[in-house]
Amino acid sequence: MTKKSSTAAVHHNNVQGSSKNPLRLVTAIPKAMVKGSQRITRKGWSIIRKLPIKKPPQLFRWDLLGVTMSYIWGMINRRHLPVALRKPVYSAWAYTFRCNMDEIPAPLESYPSLADFFSRPIKDGARPIAQGGMVSPVDGRVLACGEVVGDKVEQVKGVTYSINQFLGCDASTLLQRQNTKLYQCILYLSPGDYHRIHSSEDWSISKRSHFPGTLFPVNKPFLKLIPSLFALNERIVLMGDWLQGFYSMTAVGAYNVGSISLSFDDQVNSNRITRDFRCKNLEYFSWNGVGSHSYDRSYDNPIPQTKGQEVGQFHLGSTVVLIFEATDFEFNVKQGDYCKMGTLIGSSK
């Protein structure tokens, strides 16, 4: 082999190898030009390898698109529509997402914005509250339900999330009584559903934690693709007690649907464009781990809630997660079932 062909072969192999390791590209350039830069690059690469980053930065994978677009969509939805446009716009929305128009208590023209129409109340008596057990807090479809074993909980079949990261506390510290277990139920709301959140049991709220996070879509493809999606997304966690011990209710935001408010606490400020830079809750920034930072508020006097009472609402929102302590709780719903707010989802034996 000639000297010229040998040099060409080395160059070809180096470029091919660079597809596996981008740093090998520098070996395809004359050494005299890159001797100094190689040392710098290798030193930088060794530093990067030591950083506590287990996955590619969330900021670059999704947040620039997801958070920004969700914020813009929220602003658009809060804009007041001309009265003449309200009925045709809302009627088109209702037709597209199969809203039950018979439950709407006021004329369509009375809702100033799409966000107001989205979070509309329903007629009195449209959701009777069942007795004899726990009821669904929302209109939604069951994504998962059952007993919680350890820290990992199923968010969809075969894919889990961490209670520690999701609630921001150790799962082993939640049980308050003997012979009890933790249970969970995840309910997903579609755009056409009634989007107010109600208490599923008589309980008292002692703490609120707001995790800004990101805003991945909450649908089956993303739930299967992204482990711990619920622990990454923006959410408001309410924690307290009920008759059988620990009780929590969490409202989770999603792509284009991150606006959440509470009926008893006006300090919550969700779906903000700047939140991820003030609150380092993504894997790229969270040196202490996902779920290690939240905006917390403890209530000096726990706030009592009765079954069926309105707790808050999604102005644009997606999912509610119940995690609670109970003795031999038995669900009468299963994955895939659709529940109306106030219908029975289970009870203790």
Side-chain angles (χ1 to χ4, degrees), residues 83-348:
V83 176
L85 290 180
R86 293 175 188 175
K87 187 170 183 178
V89 169
Y90 302 155
S91 295
W93 177 280
Y95 176 79
T96 302
F97 296 109
R98 300 180 181 179
C99 300
N100 188 344
M101 302 292 281
D102 295 333
E103 295 178 346
I104 300 176
L108 296 182
E109 295 85 350
S110 65
Y111 300 102
S113 67
L114 184 57
D116 292 314
F117 177 72
F118 187 90
S119 59
R120 66 194 177 278
I122 52 177
K123 291 179 178 178
D124 291 339
R127 295 290 184 278
I129 307 302
Q131 301 302 313
M134 189 177 296
V135 301
S136 176
V138 292
D139 289 2
R141 195 167 299 280
V142 178
L143 293 181
C145 64
E147 182 184 341
V148 176
V149 180
D151 176 59
K152 296 295 183 181
V153 190
E154 191 171 72
Q155 67 182 23
V156 72
K157 191 171 183 179
V159 183
T160 63
Y161 67 96
S162 162
I163 286 187
N164 191 329
Q165 294 178 343
F166 182 71
L167 296 180
C169 57
D170 189 346
S172 64
T173 66
L174 299 179
L175 293 177
Q176 302 174 2
R177 305 190 179 192
Q178 293 183 343
N179 303 319
T180 57
K181 302 174 184 177
L182 282 180
Y183 297 85
Q184 74 141 356
C185 183
I186 305 174
L187 295 146
Y188 169 75
L189 293 75
S190 67
D193 286 327
Y194 168 60
H195 271 74
R196 299 208 174 188
I197 309 166
H198 297 253
S199 284
S200 51
E201 267 292 353
D202 296 333
W203 66 303
S204 60
I205 302 169
S206 57
K207 182 181 178 181
R208 179 263 293 160
S209 295
H210 175 203
F211 295 86
T214 184
L215 288 170
F216 287 110
V218 178
N219 52 41
K220 282 191 176 180
F222 272 82
L223 289 171
K224 290 180 178 179
L225 180 66
I226 304 172
S228 293
L229 183 149
F230 287 131
L232 291 170
N233 270 18
E234 177 168 20
R235 61 200 178 278
I236 296 173
V237 178
L238 301 177
M239 291 186 281
D241 303 278
W242 74 308
L243 184 63
Q244 298 200 39
F246 172 79
Y247 200 89
S248 72
M249 174 185 289
T250 303
V252 183
Y255 178 55
N256 276 345
V257 284
S259 298
I260 306 163
S261 65
L262 299 176
S263 304
F264 55 88
D265 187 342
D266 59 4
Q267 293 183 13
V268 174
N269 196 3
S270 64
N271 198 32
R272 303 300 300 172
I273 190 68
T274 57
R275 67 192 186 284
D276 295 306
F277 304 100
R278 294 199 314 263
C279 176
K280 300 174 180 180
N281 202 43
L282 303 180
E283 285 192 89
Y284 182 67
F285 295 113
S286 295
W287 310 123
N288 294 323
V290 175
S292 63
H293 188 102
S294 62
Y295 301 124
D296 296 338
R297 182 179 180 184
S298 296
Y299 303 105
D300 295 332
N301 298 311
I303 302 169
Q305 301 287 309
T306 58
K307 187 188 299 186
Q309 180 178 346
E310 186 177 317
V311 177
Q313 56 186 274
F314 288 118
H315 299 278
L316 291 171
S318 66
T319 309
V320 168
V321 179
L322 301 175
I323 297 177
F324 56 92
E325 178 180 4
T327 305
D328 296 326
F329 192 89
E330 184 174 325
F331 287 97
N332 62 351
V333 295
K334 62 183 183 302
Q335 185 179 17
D337 286 353
Y338 183 80
C339 305
K340 290 283 190 181
M341 192 282 288
T343 58
L344 198 66
I345 62 171
S347 60
S348 291

Side-chain angles (χ1 to χ4, degrees), residues 11-79:
H11 175 81
H12 175 73
N13 290 337
N14 282 336
V15 173
Q16 270 198 326
S18 69
S19 62
K20 295 182 180 179
N21 182 359
L23 292 179
R24 292 186 184 177
L25 277 173
V26 298
T27 63
I29 304 172
K31 291 183 178 179
M33 295 175 60
V34 297
K35 186 176 288 186
S37 63
Q38 273 187 305
R39 286 196 297 269
I40 296 171
T41 304
R42 285 169 182 166
K43 184 177 180 181
W45 183 248
S46 66
I47 293 172
I48 290 172
R49 281 184 168 180
K50 294 177 182 178
L51 292 176
I53 304 172
K54 296 181 180 179
K55 296 181 180 180
Q58 301 287 351
L59 179 67
F60 301 115
R61 290 196 309 195
W62 182 257
D63 271 49
L64 288 178
L65 173 64
V67 170
T68 302
M69 291 304 297
S70 297
Y71 177 73
I72 293 171
W73 181 241
M75 288 197 304
I76 292 171
N77 278 277
R78 290 191 296 272
R79 296 281 295 181

